[in-house]
Amino acid sequence: MQYTHNFNPTISDEDIFSEIVREKEDIGYYNLPFQDTAPLKEYAKSVKQSNIVVIGIGGSTLGTYAIYKYLKHSRKLDKKLIFLETTDPIDIQSKIQSIDLQDTLFIVISKSGTTVETVSIFKYINSLVVCDKTNTVIVTENDSKLNRYAQINGMQVFEIPKNVGGRFSVFSAVGLLPLAIVGIDIDELLKGAKKLHDAFFIKKDDVQERLLKKARFLVEYKNSFNINVVFSYSSRLEGFNKWYIQLWGESLGKIDINNTRQGLTPIGIIGPIDQHSFLQLIIEGRRDKTVTVIKVENFDNDLKIPAITLEGLEELDYLNDLEFSSLIKSQADATIEAIQNLNDIPCDVITIDGVCESAIASLMYEYELLTSLCGKFMYINTYDQPGVESGKIILKKKLQS
């Protein structure tokens, strides 16, 4: 992974790093790259169904979708992965109608085991097909009500560790189980995450330096640059953008130890599509945004613009024989140069190696680390979500009244 930036805050980060090392003893996501994947792979081999339906919401689906979206067109996968994650009735029906329910495995994921959206959808599925140990697997905490339901019905259960929050759970069974079942190499995923872990905690190389520097900058200048734009130059990263928005917003929008409201606003956009919309706001709008451009070095695709001349458009023949992958990389470089030439928009660039498991996992683990670092600099609890919980309480009262 290559990296460049145009900001350079210089303050010692030893204390923050020590805090993260201490936190690592209690917060479980840090150590997920070192888990034993054998039980997950063994179960995955036993699955005969062609359709894999994940029933969950938020942290139970977004990370898995991010990886699946990034890799699915570069892998020969013999199973289809579908996500039921909204109570929108049109979305539910349209997805259900597109698959054979008799040839479907349902993976029900809820850390608490009582997520309203998840249980509601699962109830609907139960009205359409018999859900039993042959076609349903549960992913939840070991003492949840959903776990009890699974035990009563003899269903296979995979545990979400209590010290792993939902939005940090993609490298647990939450993400690894469905991905392994459809044929994605979960060992390579963990290898990519472990590479970032070791670079930050053990080697203490440029990865540690740049993440500490970036986190400190984002927090120290949050009143000037409160909006953090991730500009991903690949449509395959659409899922990553959605995952980043949840990770950033739900983790960092908090009240700190001084009872002061904190937060950084995440925005995820896709290049080159948003060069024709949001880039205008970046270039000539208010200077309240940082920009992170994410490039893909190797698309593993040689699709070319054909060498043909269109009458009236001869002046664009310089595009002939150009690979689309080269075009999108040039578009990213042009955007980066346009931003950096202004000298008043904080901009950094992440170039990931290619379309493979280790590349997307490294990127996601890096953003988990960055989120934790920002939380430490802000003096907040990165891992709770009281604002979300208050809405759940209100919803429950409304539905029960």
Side-chain angles (χ1 to χ4, degrees):
M1 184 178 289
Q2 304 165 32
Y3 188 85
T4 62
H5 64 83
N6 71 346
F7 52 80
N8 192 36
T10 54
I11 304 175
S12 172
D13 299 309
E14 292 179 1
D15 289 344
I16 291 295
F17 180 72
S18 296
E19 284 289 318
I20 289 292
V21 170
R22 283 193 290 271
E23 181 177 272
K24 193 170 179 280
E25 298 176 5
D26 302 313
I27 301 301
Y29 91 82
Y30 290 106
N31 299 308
L32 289 176
F34 301 91
Q35 69 189 280
D36 179 13
T37 60
L40 297 166
K41 292 186 292 185
E42 183 179 355
Y43 181 84
K45 289 179 182 178
S46 72
V47 175
K48 305 303 181 185
Q49 291 93 336
S50 300
N51 303 303
I52 312 302
V53 171
V54 174
I55 303 174
I57 193 170
S60 297
T61 58
L62 287 174
T64 309
Y65 175 73
I67 294 172
Y68 182 65
K69 170 76 173 178
Y70 189 69
L71 295 173
K72 68 177 182 177
H73 294 299
S74 297
R75 300 289 181 273
K76 293 182 179 179
L77 305 177
D78 57 1
K79 298 182 187 300
K80 185 178 180 182
L81 188 57
I82 302 103
F83 297 88
L84 292 179
E85 53 187 342
T86 173
T87 50
D88 180 336
I90 296 175
D91 182 84
I92 295 171
Q93 286 189 322
S94 64
K95 288 179 178 177
I96 291 300
Q97 290 169 1
S98 70
I99 60 175
D100 178 2
L101 293 179
Q102 302 302 321
D103 189 24
T104 299
L105 175 73
F106 301 99
I107 306 178
V108 185
I109 305 177
S110 170
K111 182 173 169 64
S112 68
T114 56
T115 307
V116 168
E117 296 85 354
T118 303
V119 174
S120 298
I121 296 170
F122 189 45
K123 279 177 173 284
Y124 177 66
I125 295 297
N126 272 271
S127 73
L128 303 177
V129 65
V130 175
C131 292
D132 56 28
K133 63 182 180 181
T134 68
N135 67 352
T136 306
V137 58
I138 305 297
V139 183
T140 187
E141 287 188 344
N142 60 10
D143 59 354
S144 74
K145 291 182 179 179
L146 185 59
N147 189 310
R148 176 170 170 74
Y149 165 84
Q151 299 300 330
I152 292 171
N153 290 276
M155 295 174 175
Q156 174 74 52
V157 179
F158 289 93
E159 181 184 350
I160 305 174
K162 281 189 173 296
N163 63 355
V164 175
R167 58 189 175 275
F168 289 87
S169 67
V170 62
F171 298 121
S172 72
V174 168
L176 297 185
L177 178 64
L179 292 170
I181 292 172
V182 299
I184 288 171
D185 190 335
I186 61 174
D187 288 330
E188 281 298 308
L189 283 173
L190 294 188
K191 187 182 295 184
K194 183 178 181 295
K195 181 179 179 181
L196 249 293
H197 170 282
D198 291 351
F200 184 82
F201 286 106
I202 299 174
K203 297 178 183 178
K204 301 180 182 180
D205 57 13
D206 64 304
V207 171
Q208 183 191 101
E209 179 184 356
R210 65 181 170 80
L211 284 178
L212 284 163
K213 181 183 293 184
K214 183 173 180 178
R216 183 177 291 279
F217 179 87
L218 291 172
V219 174
E220 290 186 350
Y221 289 86
K222 65 182 183 296
N223 292 327
S224 299
F225 303 103
N226 185 254
I227 300 171
N228 307 133
V229 180
V230 166
F231 206 160
S232 298
Y233 268 81
S234 171
S235 296
R236 296 172 183 236
L237 287 167
E238 177 218 0
F240 168 81
N241 284 6
K242 292 181 178 180
W243 172 82
Y244 149 74
I245 288 170
Q246 187 209 12
L247 180 72
W248 206 246
E250 200 168 60
S251 298
L252 301 180
K254 302 287 173 63
I255 296 174
D256 67 13
I257 59 174
N258 297 316
N259 205 35
T260 302
R261 297 186 185 277
Q262 301 290 335
L264 293 165
T265 302
I267 291 178
I269 57 179
I270 294 292
I273 298 168
D274 291 305
Q275 283 181 206
H276 298 267
S277 55
F278 204 89
L279 184 58
Q280 173 65 34
L281 180 62
I282 293 172
I283 296 294
E284 293 195 347
R286 289 186 59 190
R287 294 310 193 241
D288 54 1
K289 292 169 281 293
T290 67
V291 180
T292 297
V293 178
I294 302 179
K295 297 174 57 182
V296 178
E297 179 60 32
N298 181 11
F299 282 84
D300 193 26
N301 188 298
D302 58 3
L303 186 69
K304 286 186 176 182
I305 302 169
I308 61 176
T309 297
L310 300 177
E311 186 176 354
L313 297 174
E314 292 86 354
E315 64 183 66
L316 294 174
D317 278 356
Y318 63 82
L319 296 171
N320 288 357
D321 281 327
L322 182 66
E323 290 189 356
F324 278 97
S325 59
S326 296
L327 175 58
I328 195 170
K329 284 190 283 187
S330 294
Q331 289 170 311
D333 290 339
T335 294
I336 294 163
E337 187 173 338
I339 293 171
Q340 292 185 337
N341 284 345
L342 296 170
N343 293 318
D344 61 357
I345 301 174
C347 176
D348 61 317
V349 182
I350 298 174
T351 303
I352 56 180
D353 300 331
V355 184
C356 60
E357 285 88 346
S358 61
I360 186 64
S362 293
L363 178 66
M364 294 176 77
Y365 195 83
E366 173 165 329
Y367 262 84
E368 290 179 334
L369 286 176
L370 180 63
T371 303
S372 294
L373 288 168
C374 286
K376 283 297 179 185
F377 282 121
M378 288 178 167
Y379 297 98
I380 60 172
N381 182 347
T382 309
Y383 308 103
D384 65 357
Q385 49 276 333
V388 177
E389 296 303 325
S390 63
K392 291 181 179 179
I393 293 169
I394 294 170
L395 173 62
K396 187 175 181 179
K397 288 180 179 178
K398 285 180 176 294
L399 294 176
Q400 290 179 335
S401 62

